[in-house]
Amino acid sequence: MVRVTENRFRQDQLGTLDEAALRQSGSNGAVLRNAYFKTWWPDRRSFHSKDLAAFVDTTLVPLEPVPQGQ
């Protein structure tokens, strides 16, 4: 899911995907908004580009988890 998010992040940089779609896309949903991802990400962020890591740190990690059943 991080690679899908990176693809959409790059599309946004190229101007082919607007920011609202980037933030609301399925790749940024419950899969990346959970306690596991928040503990997993810090050890893996160095494997990704600095700009993508900064985007994930500021945009995805702070998001609140999606309540179960939604």
Side-chain angles (χ1 to χ4, degrees):
M1 294 311 298
V2 174
R3 291 290 181 203
V4 171
T5 298
E6 181 174 19
N7 184 355
R8 292 182 179 173
F9 175 71
R10 300 291 172 217
Q11 289 176 16
D12 178 57
Q13 288 181 321
L14 293 171
T16 59
L17 182 71
D18 68 7
E19 187 174 332
L22 177 65
R23 293 177 192 275
Q24 295 175 3
S25 66
S27 70
N28 298 338
V31 173
L32 300 181
R33 294 187 299 184
N34 63 52
Y36 176 78
F37 181 77
K38 288 181 180 186
T39 59
W40 176 87
W41 174 246
D43 292 334
R44 288 7 178 252
R45 72 184 302 283
S46 65
F47 298 118
H48 301 278
S49 64
K50 291 181 181 182
D51 60 342
L52 176 68
F55 170 76
V56 172
D57 290 344
T58 59
T59 307
L60 301 180
V61 172
L63 293 175
E64 293 298 317
V66 174
Q68 292 290 344
Q70 292 188 10

